[in-house]
Amino acid sequence: MSTAAYWFNFFWLLAYFLVLFGMAGYGFHRLMMVILYLVHRKDVPKPAGQWEEWPMVTIQLPMFNEKYVVEGLLRKVTAIDYPKDKLEIQILDDSTDDTWDLCKQQVEYYKAQGFDIVCLHREDRTGFKAGALEAADAVAKGEYLLILDADFRPEPDILKVTMPYFTDPKVGLVQTRWAHLNREKNLLTKLQSIFLDGHFALEQTVRNRSGRFFTFNGTAGVWRKQAIIDGGGWEHDTITEDMDLSYRVQMKGWNFIYLNDYETPAELPEDMDGFKAQQHRWTKGCIQVCQKMFFTIWRAKIPFKAKTEATTHLTCNYSYLALILLCLLVMPICTGIVAPTGVMQWNGLPMILLTAFLFFFATVSVCIFYVAAEMIVRPKRWWRVFFYILPLLALGVGMAVNNAKAVLEAVFGKPSEFVRTPKFGESQEGQKSIEKRSSGYKALKSILVPVLELMFALFFATVEGMLLYSFVTNPIGHWPALLNFVLMSPFLGFFYTSICSFARLIDGMRQRSRAAKNANAA
């Protein structure tokens, strides 16, 4: 081997293993979440006392073009078991369609039933959801604010369960766990529910019970208004205003409570475009908050474990860039163009141990994390998660292009609109009509992402074919790469995310064409 080839080989492998170590680090964190849950599983928060007289609560319902779900939401909100004279309902409507007219009708209807309900309509969407909440807080009558996104369906006892925790004057937020109304709708909703169960059942629970910071999830939680004021209020410089405010409030000394045993149901996006739009917003917003708050958190006088957990939480989405890089680095290794030499050959004991270590923490620990989450959320049916482990990992890889794009937009400061997740109220109000599918929500702004995903899928179809051939001819030399590829399933992941987006795009074009023909015929 020439000197140039040696150093090329060396640096390529160095980059490959550095990326793997980084991903293994985040995998180790997930394993620690499982261990910490076992340690703190019995540390269930209890209210400090009970109210002699219930305090005033304002329910805030942020909306943007939510005409398919507003009626179902208000039916549930007005059924909440709480004294009417202690309850105010604010509809925060930034809509640009006829949702505004529907909201006015609903306000008049519920006012006639004795509810204190108002619709605050903004024609200027400055600050998006954060701007709407900021404007509403200024006129809210309640000392406490229950925030519900339009697709959420609260249980009647939500305030009777959450409000007693505020008898402790240091509590600034009580967050409930999301449940999923349409969990069994299709493969995508099933996989999303597993992803979210890991976040809510394990991460949020452990962060809260172990003395680390956790963040408000934007909905299904009750705020003390004074805590929001002390934290500096809702700010508009990120698109995850909930995460931003949460860190600022907790650094001011306020305590948060997370109720893992109490569910507030909501819809999951049922098509790939809606899921991608949601993930793009969450990923980009998290990186924006990281850039804004990282050094502030490390300068703050808070526990070291809170700082390290916040660091992991805020930086974890950079792993999508690492995942894209790993996918590119692994190709020459799969085909044998780049390979360890000397004592570090694939079939040598040091390389076997190193690969096993990285494989366990980068992949197996993630599987353990989601299995543990399902054991918590669905104790009688948790074993079903095993049927979805490989599709789950494949979807995680397949989302890498979409989410890496979001990371880069945040890093380079590219502004973007707050894209709402599509909500149709199907679980409560019957099948979607053609009108619902062809209007309202159009999450796909460009075909760039699905085109790139399809290119990645075709690339990895070739790589996996070459890898399989190489493994058959030299099993010992190629087993580590084959093992990673089988579990990561990059071809299936990228193919699934791209084809689902293209299918949705074609369906939308057909719907618009049909609508245009009907309009011309009329």
Side-chain angles (χ1 to χ4, degrees), residues 186-193 269-272 275 395 496:
N186 54 40
L187 176 62
L188 181 61
T189 58
K190 291 175 182 178
L191 297 179
Q192 287 180 75
S193 66
E270 294 182 2
D271 62 61
M272 185 59 70
F275 179 55
L395 179 59
Y496 176 54

Side-chain angles (χ1 to χ4, degrees), residues 68-374:
Y68 303 123
V69 292
V70 60
E71 293 180 72
L73 171 64
L74 288 173
R75 280 198 297 270
K76 283 290 189 178
V77 167
T78 53
I80 290 176
D81 181 17
Y82 204 75
K84 276 188 181 180
D85 62 332
K86 298 291 185 181
L87 197 63
E88 177 191 27
I89 301 171
Q90 290 180 329
I91 302 175
L92 318 182
D93 181 51
D94 285 1
S95 299
T96 56
D97 64 0
D98 54 354
T99 301
W100 165 231
D101 296 324
L102 180 59
C103 287
K104 288 189 291 185
Q105 295 171 13
Q106 292 293 303
V107 166
E108 293 304 315
Y109 175 77
Y110 286 108
K111 273 187 175 179
Q113 297 187 30
F115 287 94
D116 183 359
I117 181 170
V118 63
C119 185
L120 306 176
H121 180 66
R122 299 192 313 159
E123 294 183 357
D124 179 4
R125 290 187 71 204
T126 299
F128 304 114
K129 182 178 176 180
L133 290 168
E134 179 184 42
D137 286 357
V139 296
K141 299 175 182 177
E143 306 168 57
Y144 302 92
L145 310 169
L146 168 60
I147 301 175
L148 293 166
D149 281 351
D151 58 320
F152 278 72
R153 298 294 179 263
E155 300 295 340
D157 63 345
I158 185 170
L159 290 177
K160 293 289 182 69
V161 170
T162 55
M163 290 309 298
Y165 290 91
F166 289 104
T167 56
D168 180 348
K170 295 182 179 180
V171 171
L173 168 74
V174 179
Q175 171 75 59
T176 65
R177 177 164 61 84
W178 294 8
H180 318 299
L181 290 167
N182 54 344
R183 182 184 193 115
E184 302 296 328
K185 178 65 179 179
N186 54 40
L187 176 62
L188 181 61
T189 58
K190 291 175 182 178
L191 297 179
Q192 287 180 75
S193 66
I194 296 171
F195 278 131
L196 289 173
D197 286 346
H199 171 65
F200 283 102
L202 279 174
E203 290 179 329
Q204 293 288 72
T205 302
V206 166
R207 287 166 182 158
N208 183 220
R209 296 183 186 181
S210 65
R212 293 160 169 84
F213 287 175
F214 82 91
T215 58
F216 175 50
N217 291 111
T219 178
V222 184
W223 279 95
R224 189 191 298 267
K225 189 194 294 187
Q226 187 57 49
I228 295 176
I229 294 171
D230 285 353
W234 299 102
E235 296 183 355
H236 316 162
D237 51 352
T238 75
I239 55 174
T240 48
E241 69 292 322
D242 44 9
M243 179 182 291
D244 174 27
L245 179 62
S246 296
Y247 279 113
R248 288 187 279 116
V249 169
Q250 287 174 104
M251 286 191 291
K252 288 290 185 178
W254 289 95
N255 296 330
F256 287 4
I257 301 294
Y258 180 69
L259 303 182
N260 187 43
D261 298 326
Y262 186 87
E263 298 179 346
T264 302
E267 284 187 46
L268 294 165
E270 294 182 2
D271 62 61
M272 185 59 70
D273 288 351
F275 179 55
K276 284 180 176 178
Q278 183 188 70
Q279 292 296 307
H280 182 278
R281 186 177 78 248
W282 289 355
T283 300
K284 182 174 181 176
C286 183
I287 298 300
Q288 289 175 329
V289 175
C290 179
Q291 294 175 321
K292 175 181 178 179
M293 300 296 298
F294 183 83
F295 293 108
T296 302
I297 289 170
W298 277 96
R299 288 194 297 265
K301 294 181 180 179
I302 58 176
F304 180 75
K305 62 182 178 181
K307 295 180 181 182
T308 55
E309 178 60 30
T311 299
T312 305
H313 186 192
L314 293 174
T315 62
C316 65
N317 286 304
Y318 286 110
S319 62
Y320 288 109
L321 296 179
L323 188 55
I324 292 291
L325 181 59
L326 180 64
C327 288
L328 298 175
L329 288 171
V330 78
M331 191 273 286
I333 296 173
C334 291
T335 55
I337 297 173
V338 173
T341 58
V343 296
M344 292 299 288
Q345 294 182 35
W346 290 125
N347 57 350
L349 181 60
M351 186 58 73
I352 290 174
L353 294 176
L354 176 62
T355 304
F357 171 84
L358 293 174
F359 171 73
F360 177 82
F361 284 108
T363 306
V364 177
S365 62
V366 177
C367 300
I368 294 172
F369 176 83
Y370 287 112
V371 170
E374 293 307 294

Side-chain angles (χ1 to χ4, degrees), residues 441-462:
Y441 300 96
K442 295 179 178 63
L444 185 63
K445 301 295 183 182
S446 167
I447 64 170
L448 174 62
V449 169
V451 166
L452 288 175
E453 289 168 343
L454 184 59
M455 291 174 64
F456 268 88
L458 296 175
F459 170 74
F460 283 112
T462 303

Side-chain angles (χ1 to χ4, degrees), residues 13-88:
L13 286 170
L14 178 64
Y16 172 73
F17 282 109
L18 284 176
V19 171
L20 274 181
F21 269 107
M23 299 187 70
Y26 287 109
F28 174 76
H29 173 261
R30 296 201 177 196
L31 192 61
M32 288 303 301
M33 288 286 109
V34 176
I35 295 171
L36 285 171
Y37 179 85
L38 295 175
V39 172
H40 295 282
R41 67 187 183 280
K42 296 182 179 179
D43 299 340
V44 180
K46 302 292 183 184
Q50 294 292 330
W51 293 96
E52 294 182 5
E53 181 180 351
W54 291 109
M56 187 73 183
V57 175
T58 296
I59 302 178
Q60 297 179 322
L61 312 175
M63 294 187 187
F64 177 67
N65 297 350
E66 314 282 12
K67 60 183 177 181
Y68 303 123
V69 292
V70 60
E71 293 180 72
L73 171 64
L74 288 173
R75 280 198 297 270
K76 283 290 189 178
V77 167
T78 53
I80 290 176
D81 181 17
Y82 204 75
K84 276 188 181 180
D85 62 332
K86 298 291 185 181
L87 197 63
E88 177 191 27

